[in-house]
Amino acid sequence: DAKTTQPTSMDCAEGRAANLPCNHSTISGNEYVYWYRQIHSQGPQYIIHGLKNNETNEMASLIITEDRKSSTLILPHATLRDTAVYYCIVRFGSGNTGKLIFGQGTTLQVKP
Amino acid sequence: GAVVSQHPSWVICKSGTSVKIECRSLDFQATTMFWYRQFPKQSLMLMATSNEGSKATYEQGVEKDKFLINHASLTLSTLTVTSAHPEDSSFYICSARNERFPPYGYTFGSGTRLTVV
């Protein structure tokens, strides 16, 4: 049921920007894009979410294409602690019934 | 910020016994909570949506009588794995919808590692 497509794995050099792509070509007009990450044996951690406009917070930036069919998560200066599985999720449903259906995610390996 | 507390963080039980996992929203009320299961090297699979004061909504293929969900208050949902068997060994994670603190959205617990022996 996942509505997103992500590369299985990516590598990034420590200190460099990590750019994680996500395709969500069937996204509807009122569906948000969420990004979470999961470090081994922990619960998912919220990173950022957006609808149409690009978003930035203390952790990352989210760039959403104008047609909303794809997005990119940017970690500006990756550290070893950013090694994790990153999930791009389009929320399924709306309001209080909206739920997050996880795809396979991208395993990001930050290397020294 | 919003915090979801999950307890216990790990549990080992004998085959045939039942295990209860608690999920609490701290500092915010959650009318809706979600339960996920995750097997090694796999993604999270949504099991059910827990609704305060009403019956849970289960995803297709999830046994309702096997995984009992109770959401009796606005801050607590419980998942009981009944008559557990080794194949139920997994990582169980809850999530609560937070509409009080930014970032508004879904906050996850730290997960419960269940091992059935």
Side-chain angles (χ1 to χ4, degrees):
Chain A
D1 293 272
K3 300 169 64 175
T4 63
T5 304
Q6 298 177 253
T8 302
S9 63
M10 293 182 64
D11 289 342
C12 177
E14 187 179 19
R16 305 296 293 270
N19 297 280
L20 290 84
C22 179
N23 286 322
H24 31 80
S25 58
T26 60
I27 194 169
S28 300
N30 60 348
E31 290 182 319
Y32 283 79
V33 178
Y34 286 80
W35 282 85
Y36 283 79
R37 72 181 182 184
Q38 185 179 28
I39 296 171
H40 183 62
S41 295
Q42 297 183 23
Q45 176 191 22
Y46 170 86
I47 301 174
I48 200 166
H49 76 283
L51 180 64
K52 296 180 181 179
N53 300 320
N54 298 337
E55 302 287 346
T56 296
N57 61 22
E58 64 278 6
M59 288 184 67
S61 294
L62 174 61
I63 308 299
I64 302 175
T65 58
E66 191 170 345
D67 63 8
R68 301 188 70 238
K69 293 185 177 182
S70 66
S71 61
T72 300
L73 177 74
I74 301 173
L75 307 179
H77 305 286
T79 71
L80 298 179
R81 288 178 295 180
D82 291 322
T83 293
V85 180
Y86 286 77
Y87 295 100
C88 168
I89 306 163
V90 172
R91 190 178 72 176
F92 187 83
S94 61
N96 288 335
T97 61
K99 53 190 178 184
L100 301 183
I101 304 298
F102 285 74
Q104 293 307 306
T106 296
T107 299
L108 175 68
Q109 182 73 46
V110 180
K111 298 184 175 180
Chain B
V3 176
V4 171
S5 174
Q6 194 170 337
H7 179 81
S9 56
W10 60 271
V11 58
I12 300 173
C13 72
K14 291 184 177 181
S15 185
T17 62
S18 296
V19 173
K20 180 185 287 187
I21 302 170
E22 294 187 347
C23 179
R24 295 181 183 273
S25 57
L26 307 183
D27 299 329
F28 71 100
Q29 295 179 335
T31 56
T32 305
M33 293 185 175
F34 305 89
W35 287 96
Y36 294 82
R37 178 168 57 180
Q38 184 176 34
F39 292 108
K41 299 188 184 300
Q42 295 186 21
S43 185
L44 284 76
M45 184 192 80
L46 180 65
M47 299 174 66
T49 301
S50 173
N51 304 298
E52 187 270 334
S54 65
K55 292 182 178 181
T57 304
Y58 291 81
E59 296 297 308
Q60 189 173 9
V62 178
E63 300 176 61
K64 301 178 182 180
D65 296 332
K66 175 77 172 172
F67 301 99
L68 300 180
I69 292 173
N70 183 280
H71 194 156
S73 78
L74 288 171
T75 59
L76 174 65
S77 175
T78 61
L79 169 68
T80 301
V81 182
T82 63
S83 185
H85 292 286
E87 56 265 32
D88 298 322
S89 297
S90 188
F91 191 50
Y92 292 87
I93 308 168
C94 70
S95 171
R97 181 176 170 83
N98 155 48
E99 296 181 350
R100 182 176 179 188
F101 297 103
Y104 307 105
Y106 303 79
T107 303
F108 286 79
S110 55
T112 297
R113 175 78 55 193
L114 170 63
T115 302
V116 184
V117 297

